[in-house]
Structure formats: C-alpha cells, structure tokens
Amino acid sequence: MSALLNQIKAGQSIVILTGAGISAESGLATFRASDGLWENHRVEDVATPEAFDRDPDLVQKFYNLRRKGVKDVIPNPAHEALAKLEKHWDGEVLIVTQNIDDLHERAGSKNLIHMHGEVLKIFCTKCAGGEMNEHVKKIEWHDDLFTNTPCPSCGESGGLRPDIVWFGEMPYEMDRIYNALAQCDLFISIGTSGNVYPAAGFVQHAQMNGSVTLECNLEPSNVSGAFHDHITGPAGQTIPELVNKILTS
Ligand code: BJW
C-alpha cells in the first residue's frame, strides 16, 4: 500500500474520482474494454446531442437498456468501502463520479456529484427552455422512455431526454468540483481510463494545490504519469484495503 498515505492526517480533505471500472465488478460494462459499451455502439450514434436530434428512438433505446442494467446490479465492496470512508473519516470526503449508475448512493455515499448525469433521471428540454445544467428540474424515471412519452409537467411529447451529459455538453457542478480539487489533500482516481476530459485533467488540478494523488486501476490509465503513486488490481479488493489504511492512518 502506498507509503504516501502516511502523509495524510485526520481532518484533511479527500476527493475521489470514480469511473466505470468501479462498477465493473457489480456487472456493469465499462466503455472502452474489448467487450465494452463502445464496442457495440458508436459514440457518435448514442452519446452526443446531435445523435439525439438525428435518431432519438435509437438513443432512448440505448438508455432504456442501460436503465434496466443498473436496476439488475448491486454495489460491490469498493462502493461500500467508499461509503464507510465518508462515514468514519474525520474530514471531508467528496466522491465525483463519472458514472450514471446509482451504486454509490445505494452503498450509502452522501457527498456525491454525478458529473455526467444519472440514468435514473430525465428532464424535459421544452420545460428547460434549451438549458442543460445541474439546476434544470430533473424527474426520477425508472421505466422505459419513448420519443412520444409526454412530459409529466408540461404534457408535451418529444422533449424528454435522459439526464446524461453527452460529448460536447458541459459536465455538472464544475465550479464545486474545481473548488474541492483546489482544497483537497488527497486525490484518488478509481477505475477510469483518463480518456475523457475534463475528468482526466482533475489530477493536475489537485497536484497544483500540493495534494497527494493516487491512481487505482487494473492497468495504467492515459494519465497515469501525472499521479504520485498507483495501486494496481480490481477495485473490489484494493479499495477496501485502501480505506482501512486511510482510516487507521
Ligand atoms: C477497473 C476495473 C476494476 C476495469 N477495478 N479498474 C480534445 C482534447 C481534449 C478534450 C476534448 C477534445 N475533443 C473533445 C473534447 C472534450 C470531450 C472529450 O473529452 N473527448 C475525448 C474523447 C477526447 N469531453 C466532453 O465533451 C465533455 N464536456 C466538455 O468537455 O465540456 C466542456 C468543458 C471544458 C472544460 C471544463 C468543463 C467543460 C463531456 C463528456 C461526456 C462523457 N460522456 C460519457 C457518456 C455518457 C454517460 C453514459 O452513457 O454512460 O461518459 S462518455 C463515457 O466515458 C462516459 C464515462 O463517464 C466516460 C469515462 O469513461 P471511464 O469511466 O473512464 O470508462 P472506461 O471504459 O474508459 O475506463 C474504465 C477503466 O476502468 C479502465 O481504465 C479499466 O482498466 C478500469 N477497470 N475494471 C479497477 N475491476
């Protein structure tokens, strides 16, 4: 386990970035693995606003399947360990997840930002007047969504879309995230490949403030070189050990 953790003192702030790898052992596919989501779907067809304008039925179908997938799985020991860390650490723990599943919440995490949205929520583009941000009113939605599903608020159809941040759209709560990165003492990245910005650049922001930075992954990410140290292995094993180490530091 990283000797750098000896520098962490009770009361200090921890920011944790999570990606698809933390939910892999729960049974959710990652994006860029050989059997990942982007193997069977072109990003341009399902994860851009242009794709939604061009073929909303295809995009809704993709997220209907993702919604079902999330409901079929449960949090794994990595999610549970992070919830335990937040509960017992004598300082702030903020999880910034790129994941659209609800496994962190179901494990008990409370101080959590879904920077790429949540698959169990939707919003109405007509009610939102073209706005797309964390302040737009979201509707919890667990069923299939269709292009002709009427909005429960305005009654119009054709405006409802999944609460997902697609390529080219601004991720949520960036001010709060950058503030937390500027003040944290420990930055941990778990199960993300470092392909997608701005999340891939968070390690640099944390380091600029003198934070200790730690990457936990099965293999080096695209931005591995920017981290002080690395823990290699499946998150379901490495994160419970890491959390125990931090809590006894
Ligand atoms: C395990 C494990 C186990 C497996 N244990 N580990 C040129 C240069 C730079 C940037 C850009 C550029 N051109 C365009 C951009 C911007 C663009 C971007 O980054 N594009 C790149 C592809 C180049 N980004 C955007 O458009 C974002 N918006 C934006 O930039 O707004 C402007 C802005 C600027 C500055 C500040 C603020 C804003 C929006 C990005 C939206 C991403 N959306 C998606 C899809 C929607 C959600 C969904 O459908 O689920 O989000 S894409 C997809 O990738 C998804 C993920 O959240 C995201 C990251 O993927 P992740 O989590 O890293 O998954 P994988 O599969 O890549 O990696 C899994 C990792 O886990 C691997 O490393 C495994 O080894 C590991 N692993 N099992 C531990 N058991």
Side-chain angles (χ1 to χ4, degrees), residues 138-239:
K138 307 290 162 52
I139 306 163
E140 198 160 318
W141 196 269
H142 292 245
D143 303 321
D144 282 349
L145 184 65
F146 302 98
T147 309
N148 62 1
T149 307
C151 167
S153 289
C154 70
E156 297 233 11
S157 53
L160 292 174
R161 60 164 274 185
D163 179 28
I164 306 291
V165 177
W166 290 317
F167 283 106
E169 295 181 323
M170 183 65 82
Y172 293 154
E173 301 205 52
M174 291 311 301
D175 289 347
R176 193 175 149 208
I177 294 172
Y178 283 129
N179 279 337
L181 291 170
Q183 288 163 25
C184 74
D185 301 286
L186 174 62
F187 173 74
I188 306 170
S189 170
I190 303 171
T192 175
S193 62
N195 273 286
V196 176
Y197 286 82
F202 289 173
V203 58
Q204 264 120 2
H205 284 270
Q207 283 219 358
M208 278 190 304
N209 175 54
S211 168
V212 169
T213 57
L214 188 58
E215 178 173 81
C216 307
N217 203 313
L218 289 179
E219 59 187 24
S221 75
N222 275 8
V223 292
S224 267
F227 286 83
H228 290 117
D229 209 351
H230 306 85
I231 295 177
T232 305
Q237 285 173 30
T238 59
I239 304 308

Side-chain angles (χ1 to χ4, degrees), residues 9 29 35 62 77 87 111 117 126 148 165 176 180 206 214 220 235-236:
K9 310 267 177 310
D35 57 350
F62 178 69
K87 190 165 178 203
N111 199 17
K126 298 188 180 186
N148 62 1
V165 177
R176 193 175 149 208
L214 188 58

